[in-house]
Coordinates of all heavy atoms in Angstrom, one line a residue:
A391 N 34.1 62.1 164.9 CA 34.9 60.9 165.2 C 36.3 61.3 164.8 O 37.4 60.9 165.4 CB 34.3 59.7 164.5
Q392 N 36.5 62.0 163.6 CA 37.8 62.2 163.1 C 38.5 63.2 164.0 O 39.8 63.2 164.3 CB 37.8 62.8 161.7 CG 37.3 61.8 160.7 CD 37.0 62.5 159.3 OE1 37.1 63.6 159.2 NE2 36.8 61.6 158.3
V393 N 37.8 64.2 164.5 CA 38.4 65.2 165.4 C 38.9 64.5 166.7 O 40.0 64.7 167.2 CB 37.4 66.2 165.9 CG1 37.9 67.1 167.0 CG2 37.1 67.1 164.6
D394 N 38.1 63.5 167.1 CA 38.4 62.7 168.4 C 39.7 62.0 168.2 O 40.6 61.8 169.1 CB 37.3 61.9 168.9 CG 36.2 62.8 169.4 OD1 36.3 63.9 169.7 OD2 35.0 62.3 169.4
V395 N 39.7 61.4 167.0 CA 40.9 60.5 166.7 C 42.2 61.4 166.6 O 43.2 61.0 167.1 CB 40.7 59.8 165.3 CG1 42.0 59.2 164.8 CG2 39.8 58.6 165.5
T396 N 42.0 62.6 166.0 CA 43.2 63.5 166.0 C 43.7 63.8 167.4 O 44.8 63.8 167.7 CB 42.8 64.7 165.1 OG1 42.4 64.3 163.9 CG2 44.1 65.6 165.1
N397 N 42.7 64.2 168.2 CA 43.1 64.7 169.6 C 43.7 63.4 170.4 O 44.7 63.6 171.0 CB 41.8 65.2 170.4 CG 41.3 66.5 169.7 OD1 42.1 67.2 169.3 ND2 40.0 66.7 169.9
D398 N 43.1 62.3 170.2 CA 43.7 61.1 170.9 C 45.1 60.8 170.4 O 46.0 60.4 171.2 CB 42.8 59.9 170.8 CG 41.4 60.1 171.5 OD1 41.4 61.0 172.4 OD2 40.5 59.4 171.3
S399 N 45.3 61.0 169.1 CA 46.6 60.7 168.5 C 47.6 61.6 169.0 O 48.7 61.3 169.3 CB 46.5 60.7 167.0 OG 45.6 59.8 166.5
I400 N 47.3 63.0 169.1 CA 48.2 63.9 169.6 C 48.5 63.7 171.1 O 49.7 63.8 171.5 CB 47.7 65.4 169.4 CG1 47.6 65.6 167.9 CG2 48.4 66.4 170.1 CD1 46.8 66.9 167.6
N401 N 47.5 63.4 171.9 CA 47.8 63.1 173.3 C 48.6 61.8 173.4 O 49.5 61.8 174.3 CB 46.4 62.8 174.0 CG 45.6 64.0 174.1 OD1 46.1 65.2 174.1 ND2 44.3 63.9 174.2
L402 N 48.5 60.9 172.6 CA 49.3 59.7 172.6 C 50.7 60.0 172.2 O 51.8 59.5 172.9 CB 48.8 58.5 171.8 CG 49.5 57.3 171.7 CD1 49.7 56.6 173.1 CD2 48.9 56.3 170.7
L403 N 50.9 60.8 171.2 CA 52.3 61.2 170.7 C 53.1 62.0 171.9 O 54.2 61.8 172.2 CB 52.1 62.0 169.5 CG 52.1 61.2 168.1 CD1 52.0 62.3 167.0 CD2 53.3 60.4 168.0
N404 N 52.2 62.9 172.5 CA 52.8 63.7 173.5 C 53.3 62.8 174.8 O 54.3 63.0 175.4 CB 51.9 64.8 174.0 CG 51.8 65.9 172.9 OD1 52.6 66.2 172.2 ND2 50.6 66.6 173.0
T405 N 52.4 61.9 175.1 CA 52.8 61.0 176.2 C 54.0 60.1 175.8 O 54.9 59.9 176.7 CB 51.5 60.1 176.5 OG1 50.4 60.9 176.9 CG2 51.9 59.1 177.6
K406 N 54.1 59.7 174.6 CA 55.2 58.9 174.2 C 56.5 59.7 174.3 O 57.5 59.2 174.7 CB 55.0 58.4 172.7 CG 54.1 57.2 172.6 CD 54.0 56.7 171.2 CE 53.2 55.5 170.9 NZ 54.0 54.3 171.5
Q407 N 56.5 61.0 173.9 CA 57.7 61.8 174.0 C 58.0 62.1 175.4 O 59.2 62.0 175.8 CB 57.3 63.1 173.2 CG 58.6 64.1 173.3 CD 59.7 63.5 172.5 OE1 59.6 63.0 171.4 NE2 60.9 63.5 173.2
Q408 N 57.0 62.4 176.2 CA 57.4 62.5 177.7 C 57.9 61.3 178.4 O 58.9 61.3 179.1 CB 56.1 62.9 178.4 CG 55.5 64.2 178.1 CD 54.1 64.4 178.7 OE1 53.7 63.7 179.6 NE2 53.5 65.5 178.3
L409 N 57.4 60.1 177.9 CA 58.0 58.8 178.4 C 59.4 58.6 178.0 O 60.2 58.2 178.7 CB 57.0 57.7 177.9 CG 57.4 56.3 178.4 CD1 57.5 56.2 179.9 CD2 56.4 55.3 177.7
A410 N 59.7 59.0 176.7 CA 61.0 58.7 176.2 C 62.1 59.7 177.0 O 63.2 59.3 177.4 CB 61.2 59.0 174.7
N411 N 61.6 60.9 177.3 CA 62.4 61.8 178.0 C 62.8 61.3 179.4 O 63.9 61.4 180.0 CB 61.8 63.2 178.1 CG 61.8 63.9 176.7 OD1 62.5 63.4 175.7 ND2 61.0 64.9 176.6
V412 N 61.7 60.9 180.2 CA 61.8 60.5 181.5 C 62.6 59.1 181.5 O 63.4 59.0 182.5 CB 60.4 60.2 182.2 CG1 60.6 59.7 183.5 CG2 59.6 61.5 182.1
K413 N 62.5 58.4 180.6 CA 63.4 57.1 180.6 C 64.9 57.5 180.4 O 65.7 56.9 181.0 CB 63.0 56.2 179.3 CG 61.8 55.3 179.6 CD 61.5 54.4 178.5 CE 60.3 53.5 178.8 NZ 60.1 52.5 177.7
R414 N 65.2 58.6 179.7 CA 66.5 59.1 179.6 C 67.0 59.6 180.9 O 68.1 59.4 181.4 CB 66.6 60.1 178.5 CG 66.8 59.5 177.1 CD 67.1 60.5 176.1 NE 66.0 61.3 175.7 CZ 65.1 61.0 174.7 NH1 65.3 59.9 174.0 NH2 64.1 61.8 174.5
D415 N 66.1 60.3 181.7 CA 66.4 60.7 183.0 C 66.7 59.6 184.0 O 67.7 59.7 184.7 CB 65.2 61.6 183.6 CG 65.0 62.9 182.9 OD1 65.9 63.3 182.2 OD2 63.9 63.4 182.9
L416 N 66.0 58.5 183.8 CA 66.2 57.3 184.7 C 67.5 56.7 184.3 O 68.2 56.2 185.2 CB 65.1 56.3 184.5 CG 65.1 55.2 185.4 CD1 65.1 55.5 186.8 CD2 63.8 54.2 185.1
N417 N 67.9 56.7 183.0 CA 69.2 56.1 182.6 C 70.4 57.0 183.1 O 71.4 56.3 183.5 CB 69.3 56.1 181.1 CG 68.5 55.0 180.4 OD1 68.3 54.0 181.0 ND2 68.0 55.2 179.2
V418 N 70.2 58.2 183.3 CA 71.2 59.0 183.9 C 71.4 58.6 185.4 O 72.5 58.6 185.9 CB 71.0 60.5 183.7 CG1 71.8 61.4 184.7 CG2 70.9 61.0 182.3
I419 N 70.3 58.4 186.0 CA 70.3 58.1 187.5 C 71.1 56.8 187.7 O 72.0 56.6 188.6 CB 68.9 58.0 188.1 CG1 68.3 59.3 188.1 CG2 69.1 57.5 189.5 CD1 69.0 60.3 189.1
V420 N 70.7 55.8 186.9 CA 71.4 54.4 187.1 C 72.8 54.4 186.3 O 73.4 53.3 186.3 CB 70.4 53.4 186.6 CG1 69.2 53.4 187.4 CG2 70.1 53.4 185.1
N421 N 73.0 55.4 185.6 CA 74.3 55.5 184.8 C 74.5 54.4 183.8 O 75.4 53.5 183.8 CB 75.6 55.5 185.8 CG 76.9 55.8 185.1 OD1 76.9 56.3 184.0 ND2 77.9 55.5 185.8
Q422 N 73.5 54.4 182.9 CA 73.6 53.4 181.8 C 73.4 54.3 180.5 O 73.1 55.4 180.5 CB 72.7 52.2 181.9 CG 71.2 52.6 181.9 CD 70.3 51.4 182.1 OE1 70.8 50.3 182.3 NE2 69.0 51.6 182.0
S423 N 73.5 53.6 179.3 CA 73.3 54.2 178.0 C 72.1 55.0 177.9 O 71.0 54.4 178.3 CB 73.5 53.1 176.9 OG 73.2 53.7 175.7
L424 N 72.1 56.2 177.4 CA 70.8 57.0 177.3 C 69.9 56.4 176.3 O 68.7 56.7 176.3 CB 71.2 58.4 176.9 CG 72.1 59.2 177.9 CD1 72.4 60.6 177.3 CD2 71.3 59.4 179.2
T425 N 70.4 55.4 175.4 CA 69.5 54.9 174.4 C 68.8 53.5 174.9 O 68.1 52.9 174.2 CB 70.2 54.6 173.1 OG1 71.3 53.7 173.5 CG2 70.8 55.9 172.6
E426 N 69.3 53.2 176.1 CA 68.6 52.0 176.7 C 67.2 52.1 176.8 O 66.7 53.1 177.5 CB 69.3 51.7 178.0 CG 69.1 50.3 178.6 CD 69.8 49.2 177.9 OE1 71.0 49.5 177.4 OE2 69.4 48.0 177.9
D427 N 66.4 51.1 176.3 CA 65.0 51.1 176.5 C 64.6 50.0 177.4 O 65.2 48.9 177.4 CB 64.3 51.0 175.1 CG 62.9 51.5 175.1 OD1 62.5 52.0 176.2 OD2 62.3 51.5 174.0
F428 N 63.4 50.1 178.1 CA 63.1 49.1 179.1 C 61.6 49.4 179.4 O 61.0 50.4 179.1 CB 64.0 49.3 180.3 CG 64.1 50.7 180.8 CD1 63.1 51.2 181.6 CD2 65.1 51.4 180.4 CE1 63.2 52.5 182.1 CE2 65.3 52.7 180.9 CZ 64.4 53.2 181.7
Q429 N 61.0 48.4 180.1 CA 59.7 48.4 180.8 C 60.0 48.4 182.2 O 60.9 47.8 182.8 CB 58.8 47.4 180.3 CG 58.4 47.4 178.9 CD 57.5 48.5 178.5 OE1 56.7 49.0 179.4 NE2 57.6 49.1 177.3
V430 N 59.1 49.0 183.0 CA 59.1 49.1 184.4 C 57.9 48.4 185.0 O 57.0 48.3 184.4 CB 59.3 50.6 185.0 CG1 60.5 51.3 184.4 CG2 58.0 51.4 184.6
D431 N 58.1 48.2 186.4 CA 57.0 47.5 187.1 C 56.0 48.7 187.4 O 56.3 49.7 187.8 CB 57.5 47.0 188.4 CG 58.4 45.8 188.2 OD1 58.3 45.1 187.1 OD2 59.2 45.4 189.1
T432 N 54.7 48.3 187.2 CA 53.6 49.2 187.5 C 52.8 48.7 188.7 O 51.8 49.3 189.1 CB 52.7 49.4 186.4 OG1 52.2 48.1 185.9 CG2 53.5 49.9 185.2
I433 N 53.3 47.7 189.3 CA 52.5 47.1 190.5 C 53.1 47.8 191.8 O 54.3 47.9 192.0 CB 52.7 45.6 190.6 CG1 52.1 45.0 189.5 CG2 52.1 45.2 192.0 CD1 52.2 43.4 189.6
V434 N 52.3 48.4 192.6 CA 52.7 49.1 193.8 C 52.3 48.4 195.1 O 51.1 48.1 195.1 CB 52.3 50.6 193.8 CG1 52.5 51.3 195.1 CG2 53.0 51.3 192.6
R435 N 53.1 48.2 196.0 CA 52.7 47.6 197.3 C 53.1 48.6 198.4 O 54.1 49.1 198.4 CB 53.4 46.3 197.5 CG 53.2 45.2 196.5 CD 54.0 43.9 196.7 NE 53.7 43.0 195.7 CZ 54.4 42.8 194.6 NH1 55.4 43.7 194.4 NH2 54.2 41.9 193.7
F436 N 52.2 48.8 199.3 CA 52.2 49.7 200.4 C 52.6 49.0 201.7 O 52.3 47.8 201.8 CB 51.0 50.5 200.6 CG 50.6 51.4 199.4 CD1 49.7 51.0 198.5 CD2 51.2 52.6 199.3 CE1 49.5 51.8 197.5 CE2 50.9 53.5 198.2 CZ 50.0 53.2 197.3
V437 N 53.4 49.6 202.5 CA 53.8 49.1 203.8 C 52.7 49.0 204.7 O 51.9 49.9 204.8 CB 55.0 50.0 204.5 CG1 55.4 49.4 205.8 CG2 56.2 50.0 203.6
P438 N 52.4 47.9 205.4 CA 51.2 47.7 206.3 C 51.3 48.8 207.5 O 52.4 49.2 207.8 CB 51.5 46.3 206.9 CG 52.3 45.6 205.8 CD 53.2 46.5 205.3
R439 N 50.1 49.3 207.8 CA 50.0 50.4 208.7 C 50.7 50.1 210.1 O 51.4 51.0 210.7 CB 48.6 50.9 208.9 CG 48.5 52.1 209.8 CD 49.4 53.2 209.2 NE 49.4 54.3 210.2 CZ 48.7 55.5 210.1 NH1 47.9 55.6 209.2 NH2 48.8 56.3 211.1
L440 N 50.5 48.8 210.6 CA 51.2 48.5 211.9 C 52.7 48.6 211.9 O 53.3 49.1 212.7 CB 50.7 47.1 212.2 CG 49.2 46.9 212.7 CD1 49.0 45.5 213.0 CD2 48.9 47.8 213.9
Q441 N 53.2 48.1 210.6 CA 54.7 48.2 210.5 C 55.1 49.7 210.4 O 56.1 50.1 210.9 CB 55.2 47.4 209.3 CG 56.7 47.4 209.0 CD 57.0 46.7 207.7 OE1 56.2 46.0 207.2 NE2 58.3 46.7 207.5
L442 N 54.4 50.4 209.7 CA 54.7 51.9 209.5 C 54.6 52.6 210.9 O 55.5 53.5 211.1 CB 53.7 52.5 208.5 CG 54.1 53.9 207.9 CD1 55.4 53.8 207.1 CD2 53.0 54.3 207.0
D443 N 53.7 52.3 211.7 CA 53.6 53.0 213.0 C 54.8 52.6 213.9 O 55.3 53.4 214.6 CB 52.3 52.5 213.7 CG 51.2 53.2 213.1 OD1 51.2 54.2 212.4 OD2 50.0 52.6 213.3
E444 N 55.2 51.3 213.8 CA 56.4 50.9 214.5 C 57.7 51.6 214.1 O 58.5 52.1 214.9 CB 56.6 49.4 214.4 CG 57.7 48.9 215.2 CD 57.9 47.3 215.0 OE1 57.0 46.7 214.3 OE2 58.9 46.8 215.4
L445 N 57.8 51.8 212.7 CA 59.0 52.5 212.2 C 59.0 54.0 212.6 O 60.1 54.6 212.9 CB 59.0 52.5 210.7 CG 59.1 51.0 210.1 CD1 59.1 51.0 208.7 CD2 60.4 50.4 210.6
I446 N 57.8 54.5 212.8 CA 57.7 56.0 213.1 C 58.1 56.2 214.5 O 58.7 57.1 214.9 CB 56.2 56.5 212.8 CG1 56.0 56.6 211.4 CG2 56.0 57.9 213.6 CD1 54.5 56.9 211.0
G447 N 57.7 55.2 215.4 CA 58.0 55.3 216.8 C 59.6 55.2 217.0 O 60.0 55.6 218.1
E448 N 60.3 54.6 216.1 CA 61.8 54.5 216.3 C 62.5 55.5 215.4 O 63.8 55.3 215.2 CB 62.3 53.1 215.8 CG 61.6 51.9 216.7 CD 61.9 50.5 216.1 OE1 62.5 50.6 215.0 OE2 61.5 49.6 216.7
A449 N 61.8 56.5 215.0 CA 62.4 57.4 214.0 C 63.6 58.2 214.6 O 64.5 58.4 214.0 CB 61.3 58.5 213.5
K450 N 63.5 58.6 216.0 CA 64.5 59.5 216.5 C 65.9 58.6 216.7 O 66.9 59.3 216.7 CB 64.1 59.9 217.9 CG 63.0 61.0 217.8 CD 62.7 61.6 219.2 CE 61.6 62.7 219.0 NZ 61.2 63.2 220.4
Q451 N 65.7 57.3 216.7 CA 67.0 56.6 216.8 C 67.6 56.2 215.4 O 68.7 55.8 215.4 CB 66.7 55.1 217.5 CG 66.4 55.2 219.0 CD 65.0 55.8 219.3 OE1 64.0 55.5 218.5 NE2 64.8 56.6 220.3

Side-chain angles (χ1 to χ4, degrees):
Q392 291 175 354
V393 169
D394 293 338
V395 166
T396 301
N397 291 333
D398 291 342
S399 301
I400 292 174
N401 291 335
L402 180 58
L403 276 179
N404 288 334
T405 300
K406 283 180 172 293
Q407 182 60 52
Q408 293 173 12
L409 181 59
N411 292 343
V412 177
K413 282 186 177 181
R414 280 189 282 270
D415 292 337
L416 188 57
N417 284 331
V418 171
I419 294 293
V420 300
N421 190 16
Q422 64 182 6
S423 173
L424 295 179
T425 59
E426 190 76 25
D427 204 0
F428 48 84
Q429 293 291 333
V430 299
D431 293 336
T432 57
I433 298 175
V434 169
R435 300 179 181 87
F436 294 96
V437 176
R439 182 55 192 262
L440 289 178
Q441 182 183 355
L442 197 59
D443 290 338
E444 182 181 350
L445 297 178
I446 292 174
E448 300 173 354
K450 290 185 179 179
Q451 289 76 36

